[in-house]
Amino acid sequence: MASTSTSQVVPASPEHVWRLIGGFGSLPDWIPTIPDCVLLEGGRVRRLTTSQGEVVIERLVAFDAQQRSYAYTIDESPFPITGYLSTLRVHEVPGEKDAAEVQWSGRFVPQGVEDDDVIALFTGIYRDGLDGLLKALSG
């Protein structure tokens, strides 16, 4: 099993950040490379379409509004992985009421590729997503 994690401190309160990213269908609101998200099965499954036309089906497996976090698995994707589990969390930054730390982590089993290649892939996806969040909050 391989894993990766990235985080970003953003200039907004944790509550404000969670309102933007806490909805399971909210990815198009803050990630430019995910222009389309359709919620299925009462909001527990999301069908994402990337800007390159790839489709990813993800399933919500845990949600905690109080802790500002959710976890999801990937049911279908073009990625060479199995056993994917990811968590998105928004943390307070001690002493900073108008700042939040967003952490995005995942673990997975690479299939037919080197661990480092898939780690780099998901690290890049998470980092690009958090860069998109920073831009969404700034503009």
Side-chain angles (χ1 to χ4, degrees):
M1 182 159 291
S3 65
T4 187
S5 181
T6 189
S7 65
Q8 175 77 46
V9 174
V10 296
S13 71
E15 295 79 15
H16 180 76
V17 175
W18 183 247
R19 279 193 301 275
L20 177 60
I21 72 172
F24 196 54
S26 72
L27 292 182
D29 297 337
W30 56 280
I31 300 180
T33 57
I34 306 289
D36 188 55
C37 175
V38 176
L39 291 176
L40 308 165
E41 297 185 24
R44 307 260 325 152
V45 172
R46 63 186 177 196
R47 182 184 187 276
L48 306 172
T49 303
T50 71
S51 55
Q52 297 174 337
E54 296 174 317
V55 173
V56 180
I57 309 291
E58 299 175 335
R59 181 172 302 276
L60 184 67
V61 295
F63 183 88
D64 188 332
Q66 182 122 17
Q67 294 295 315
R68 294 184 292 268
S69 72
Y70 69 78
Y72 63 94
T73 59
I74 291 179
D75 289 352
E76 297 176 34
S77 79
F79 308 127
I81 49 94
T82 61
Y84 181 92
L85 177 65
S86 182
T87 303
L88 186 65
R89 290 185 174 95
V90 179
H91 301 282
E92 294 180 8
V93 175
E96 300 286 332
K97 67 178 178 131
D98 290 325
E101 180 183 13
V102 181
Q103 180 185 35
W104 201 347
S105 61
R107 64 179 193 224
F108 37 83
V109 178
Q111 296 292 299
V113 296
E114 295 295 319
D115 286 12
D116 288 346
D117 293 339
V118 183
I119 290 169
L121 171 70
F122 282 103
T123 300
I125 289 170
Y126 300 163
R127 190 169 292 132
D128 290 349
L130 295 181
D131 286 348
L133 172 62
L134 191 57
K135 288 177 186 168
L137 289 168
S138 299

